[in-house]
Amino acid sequence: MDFHHYLPIPDEILHSGIYVTSVGQATVRPNATYPPVHHPSLYHFNWNDGRVLPEFSLMYIVSGRGLFESREMGKIPIEAGRVVLLFPGIWHRYRPDITTGWKEKWMHFNGEFAHMLLDHHILSPRQSVLGPADFDSAEKALDQVLGSVQRNPSSNSLWLSLQGMGVLAAVLENSPISCGVAKSNIKLADPFVASAIDYIWTRSHHILSVPDVAKALATTRRTLERRMAAALNRSVLDEIIECRFSRAERLLRETNLPIKTVVTLAGFGSIENMRHIFQTKTQCSPAEYRSRQR
């Protein structure tokens, strides 16, 4: 059954990390007019002019084939199993092949989280056509969003936003293209270094030294430092300090715990040590950092 819904966006959703603005599905028969004319003018387009959206969109091609074109990618053939990502402010157009038509499912979305993915190049207009390896998983996640809206098309919710995140996760996790993100940014290529990082972040609340990490991994300090530098371009001590600073920073920002308690929970040996790290990284003391964040 074909349907589409354009959702209200209440303030509490507008200022959340991600929110869904529209969903739908359509079966386009061969030689049919595309797109149908019953969409709002903001979303409607024709092939000659194309379209620019103020938000993101994810369109799943369930069957058939067609053509996608954007300013960044040029013309790209698309077929069943492909996901087309559209980006705010980016001109694009697409259409099914007149001989096959296609079935499409889509979700429009926006929010700070989506823009963060764009800023960190996890999403990129230069990788607008993706091919999830797990077709069923991605379609199932999208169907959950479509079903939620079908059951209550006049409202929006944070629950729907979470489901929308699940769609993005299913598409990106299973995409062999990986959206232009280096695989090493997703999973460390060196399992030895991965084990070192796991050890540091799991045990850094204790007094932890570089020799302690090397001993736990049954290697020499020199070997550990060499492989850490090759994989991450930083030292083992850098990683220990970053772990402690990250935890102290969050505790100062998100809790009212005394600074002495933060020192202990973050794994710093002394308040002087933590103060030195904060002065180096933030140019202020832990107390001043907390005050600025509040």
Side-chain angles (χ1 to χ4, degrees):
M1 179 183 67
D2 293 355
F3 66 88
H4 62 268
H5 298 287
Y6 294 86
L7 306 175
I9 313 296
D11 286 344
E12 62 268 23
I13 302 299
L14 184 64
H15 299 294
S16 65
I18 191 171
Y19 55 90
V20 178
T21 61
S22 172
V23 302
Q25 67 179 32
T27 300
V28 182
R29 301 187 182 282
N31 297 303
T33 300
Y34 187 85
V37 297
H38 48 270
H39 291 273
S41 56
L42 171 64
Y43 297 93
H44 186 70
F45 70 98
N46 61 65
W47 177 258
N48 290 333
D49 298 330
R51 177 180 66 178
V52 175
L53 289 172
E55 59 202 26
F56 298 83
S57 181
L58 180 153
M59 182 175 69
Y60 205 98
I61 307 301
V62 180
S63 61
R65 64 176 183 267
L67 187 67
F68 169 78
E69 183 178 3
S70 72
R71 186 178 62 211
E72 282 68 21
M73 292 194 66
K75 292 183 178 179
I76 303 291
I78 49 178
E79 58 188 10
R82 295 291 181 179
V83 171
V84 178
L85 292 174
L86 309 175
F87 296 83
I90 302 297
W91 178 88
H92 63 270
R93 61 184 179 179
Y94 51 85
R95 65 184 179 189
D97 190 299
I98 61 172
T99 63
T100 65
W102 70 25
K103 182 176 181 180
E104 62 183 24
K105 298 179 180 180
W106 76 85
M107 175 184 76
H108 292 302
F109 60 96
N110 211 342
E112 290 183 8
F113 179 75
H115 285 275
M116 182 192 72
L117 295 177
L118 185 60
D119 292 342
H120 287 78
H121 308 294
I122 297 172
L123 298 178
S124 170
R126 293 182 178 84
Q127 295 286 1
S128 290
V129 179
L130 309 179
D134 189 343
F135 182 98
D136 292 337
S137 177
E139 186 178 17
K140 182 178 179 181
L142 183 54
D143 283 342
Q144 288 181 330
V145 174
L146 300 182
S148 292
V149 175
Q150 276 286 77
R151 289 188 292 272
N152 198 359
S154 62
S155 68
N156 208 330
S157 68
L158 288 173
W159 174 243
L160 188 64
S161 297
L162 290 173
Q163 288 183 313
M165 284 186 174
V167 176
L168 285 175
V171 169
L172 297 177
E173 180 181 5
N174 293 301
S175 173
I177 300 174
S178 74
C179 304
V181 179
K183 289 293 185 182
S184 59
N185 289 341
I186 300 172
K187 183 178 180 179
L188 282 171
D190 188 338
F192 185 85
V193 174
S195 295
I197 290 175
D198 176 61
Y199 187 87
I200 290 168
W201 283 78
T202 302
R203 295 166 177 82
S204 63
H205 54 288
H206 301 297
I207 301 301
L208 184 65
S209 67
V210 177
D212 291 335
V213 180
K215 182 178 179 181
L217 297 179
T219 189
T220 65
R221 177 172 181 169
R222 183 177 180 181
T223 298
L224 177 60
E225 292 285 15
R226 176 177 55 80
R227 293 177 69 165
M228 180 75 79
L232 299 175
N233 196 32
R234 59 177 178 264
S235 70
V236 181
L237 182 59
D238 289 338
E239 189 69 25
I240 294 173
I241 291 172
E242 182 58 32
C243 177
R244 290 172 177 165
F245 172 76
S246 173
R247 287 178 173 162
E249 182 186 33
R250 284 183 285 135
L251 287 168
L252 292 171
R253 188 175 60 243
E254 303 293 344
T255 77
N256 294 316
L257 291 171
I259 289 178
K260 286 185 178 180
T261 303
V262 173
V263 170
T264 301
L265 293 177
F268 285 100
S270 67
I271 192 168
E272 289 77 16
N273 190 1
M274 189 170 86
R275 183 181 293 113
H276 172 71
I277 297 299
F278 268 79
Q279 288 286 357
T280 302
K281 289 181 172 289
T282 69
Q283 290 74 56
C284 61
S285 69
E288 290 169 337
Y289 179 85
R290 169 174 275 173
S291 178
R292 291 180 183 182
Q293 295 302 314
R294 299 295 174 87

